[in-house]
Amino acid sequence: MELTPKSIRRIELFVSNDISHSSYLVTALDEFCNKNNLKLDLSFNIYGNEGRVHVLHNDLKITKHHFLKVCYVRLTLNTSKKLLLAFDFSDSDVFFSLKALERVDYYFKRTYTQNNVELVREKFKTKVLPLGIPFMVRPDKIKNRKRLKIYFILGNLFNAIKFDKILLSRLSKRYTKSTLELESFITTRTLSDFQNYSKPKDLNSVFYQKRLFPNEKDEDTREVHRQRIGIVRLLKKQFPNHFIGGIKNDKNLHTGYKDCASSITGSQAEFLKITKESGICIYTRGLANSIGWTLPEFMSQGKAIIAEKQFVKFNEELVHGKHLLYFSNSTELEQNIKDLLSEPLEIERLSRNSRAYYEENISPKIYFRNILEKLNA
């Protein structure tokens, strides 16, 4: 039986413990249900989070670690058949949810790298597919807000239960953190904010804005920080009349990096505003080689994007020279910028193509429809 909107009787979303990443799925499902006259039912996450699969040295290691960034969706078809889908929003390409791999029919992985997925497929029967390029967004109107709040907070409290002497303190901290995360979702940018875009004020402006993370204990974090600082200093030196942005000026910006401080506050609303006004936007990876939210945000606004070359697999390939320009080092980055600044028509061509990719592959308006098409393939 072909899977179509008309073949679905019920869609059930089990509220995730991570609302920031799963907000993209919440918005996509809301759009899909609105368009196809279906009801989106919210449920408490009954699947639990304990159990993690770690791809380590070309082998799999299974541990009891909790895996929080996974969201479940259950489809009930008109035939009464049920399909369980898992959406893994983790930054890491080496960690997977054990329970999801054991239970679901399809597993969608955000940071999907071919070799690691193939190792997982050898042990588990679940079909693992690329999730796509999500970002934080909410529906224009949040439905069932009270139920979403209850399930989200209860899920996080339940996950914090461990009977020891600091149980009450841990529950209190988890409750506070959960309410702050929920408030961030409720006040984040809406789907309409991303759907609406216009020609930039200055086609030759070059925008790069990043932040530093709270600690540098991990070598991956240190490498990300070195890269971001290096790029800001390059842009300030080589393109002083075009560069906008820098490193968010907060407590994580060390004294030695204050020359990189940005005058842009880094709020979500201001970030999108500056993106809309810019002609050229530069993207670099997140932690663990993940694809950060800024890449789809740039594409939503039809930007000419110069992006660090990545190895994550998407449903539809991002093609160098068509959707964006890739760079592997600072020399290539600098040359790409110079080439675009000398060719305004090329900026406009890349801009049209990046927006088209967003509309066809990323926008929450079409995302879940595309998922169904993948399941039919």
Side-chain angles (χ1 to χ4, degrees):
M1 177 182 179
E2 184 179 6
L3 195 58
T4 66
K6 290 184 178 180
S7 70
I8 299 173
R9 183 198 306 169
R10 185 186 185 205
I11 299 184
E12 192 174 6
L13 171 67
F14 296 89
V15 177
S16 168
N17 292 105
D18 184 280
I19 195 68
S20 297
H21 288 83
S22 64
S23 64
Y24 176 77
L25 182 60
V26 171
T27 306
L29 287 170
D30 181 76
E31 285 294 310
F32 180 81
C33 289
N34 287 342
K35 185 174 182 179
N36 295 286
N37 198 28
L38 290 165
K39 181 184 177 184
L40 176 60
D41 292 325
L42 300 183
S43 296
F44 182 76
N45 180 13
I46 60 175
Y47 295 103
N49 300 293
E50 187 175 317
R52 189 176 74 182
V53 176
H54 183 186
V55 180
L56 185 65
H57 306 308
N58 291 319
D59 198 5
L60 300 184
K61 181 180 179 181
I62 296 176
T63 69
K64 291 184 178 180
H65 290 89
H66 282 202
F67 192 98
L68 300 179
K69 292 184 179 180
V70 63
C71 193
Y72 296 92
V73 175
R74 185 163 63 194
L75 306 180
T76 303
L77 307 184
N78 293 328
T79 61
S80 295
K81 179 182 178 181
K82 295 183 179 180
L83 291 175
L84 186 61
L85 317 178
F87 294 81
D88 173 354
F89 290 95
S90 171
D91 291 340
S92 174
D93 66 330
V94 300
F95 294 127
F96 295 75
S97 167
L98 175 62
K99 288 194 174 181
L101 288 172
E102 290 177 336
R103 295 185 178 191
V104 304
D105 298 290
Y106 296 92
Y107 187 110
F108 294 90
K109 178 71 174 165
R110 172 189 170 207
T111 311
Y112 181 114
T113 52
Q114 193 67 43
N115 290 341
N116 290 341
V117 169
E118 286 178 358
L119 286 170
V120 169
R121 283 175 175 162
E122 289 177 7
K123 182 174 178 63
F124 298 92
K125 296 180 180 179
T126 301
K127 294 180 180 179
V128 183
L129 302 169
L131 187 151
I133 319 179
F135 59 99
M136 189 173 183
V137 60
R138 70 168 176 85
D140 292 334
K141 181 179 180 182
I142 303 174
K143 300 174 185 175
N144 300 315
R145 182 183 297 194
K146 185 177 293 186
R147 183 174 294 182
L148 178 68
K149 176 180 179 179
I150 292 171
Y151 290 157
F152 175 68
I153 292 178
L154 284 180
N156 274 279
L157 292 177
F158 182 79
N159 200 57
I161 293 176
K162 180 182 178 182
F163 293 100
D164 54 22
K165 61 182 180 181
I166 61 170
L167 172 61
L168 294 180
S169 173
R170 186 167 56 251
L171 288 175
S172 176
K173 290 179 181 179
R174 186 62 61 88
Y175 177 80
T176 300
K177 182 180 179 182
S178 299
T179 54
L180 289 174
E181 289 178 2
L182 193 65
E183 181 63 23
S184 178
F185 164 70
I186 291 171
T187 58
T188 195
R189 299 157 298 183
T190 67
L191 178 57
S192 290
D193 290 332
F194 289 100
Q195 290 298 120
N196 299 329
Y197 77 108
S198 56
K199 189 173 181 179
K201 288 184 177 180
D202 182 2
L203 208 63
N204 289 331
S205 56
V206 180
F207 180 44
Y208 181 69
Q209 172 88 1
K210 288 292 183 180
R211 66 185 177 99
L212 300 188
F213 298 99
N215 66 73
E216 290 188 319
K217 294 180 181 179
D218 181 83
E219 177 56 30
D220 180 55
T221 305
R222 290 193 290 271
E223 177 56 34
V224 167
H225 286 183
R226 285 192 291 266
Q227 180 195 53
R228 293 178 177 186
I229 293 297
I231 288 177
V232 170
R233 287 175 172 167
L234 181 149
L235 296 173
K236 288 171 69 72
K237 179 181 179 180
Q238 300 297 336
F239 306 97
N241 298 323
H242 301 280
F243 174 51
I244 303 170
I247 305 296
K248 185 178 180 181
N249 193 8
D250 60 17
K251 62 182 180 181
N252 298 320
L253 185 61
H254 306 168
T255 303
Y257 301 150
K258 286 299 182 179
D259 61 303
C260 298
S262 175
S263 60
I264 300 168
T265 64
S267 70
Q268 290 187 343
E270 187 176 14
F271 184 92
L272 185 59
K273 176 178 179 292
I274 302 299
T275 297
K276 289 176 180 290
E277 295 174 352
S278 304
I280 301 169
C281 292
I282 298 170
Y283 166 81
T284 56
R285 71 178 180 91
L287 295 177
N289 291 313
S290 64
I291 301 300
W293 292 339
T294 53
L295 180 59
E297 290 172 2
F298 290 159
M299 301 193 84
S300 77
Q301 299 310 301
K303 301 293 112 179
I305 302 167
I306 304 174
E308 177 186 8
K309 191 169 179 59
Q310 52 76 36
F311 301 96
V312 175
K313 182 178 178 181
F314 304 134
N315 291 317
E316 297 295 333
E317 181 184 3
L318 280 171
V319 180
H320 172 74
K322 179 180 179 182
H323 303 113
L324 43 60
L325 298 177
Y326 280 125
F327 72 92
S328 299
N329 52 56
S330 58
T331 301
E332 290 180 2
L333 169 60
E334 185 177 345
Q335 189 59 52
N336 281 337
I337 296 173
K338 289 179 179 178
D339 290 344
L340 288 182
L341 291 177
S342 66
E343 293 286 348
L345 292 180
E346 184 67 1
I347 295 177
E348 294 179 350
R349 184 185 69 85
L350 287 173
S351 297
R352 289 193 298 271
N353 289 344
S354 68
R355 174 66 187 194
Y357 186 98
Y358 171 83
E359 291 176 340
E360 295 166 7
N361 300 286
I362 300 176
S363 171
K365 283 186 169 293
I366 52 80
Y367 177 74
F368 205 73
R369 182 202 70 194
N370 288 355
I371 288 292
L372 296 186
E373 291 178 357
K374 288 293 180 183
L375 299 188
N376 287 323

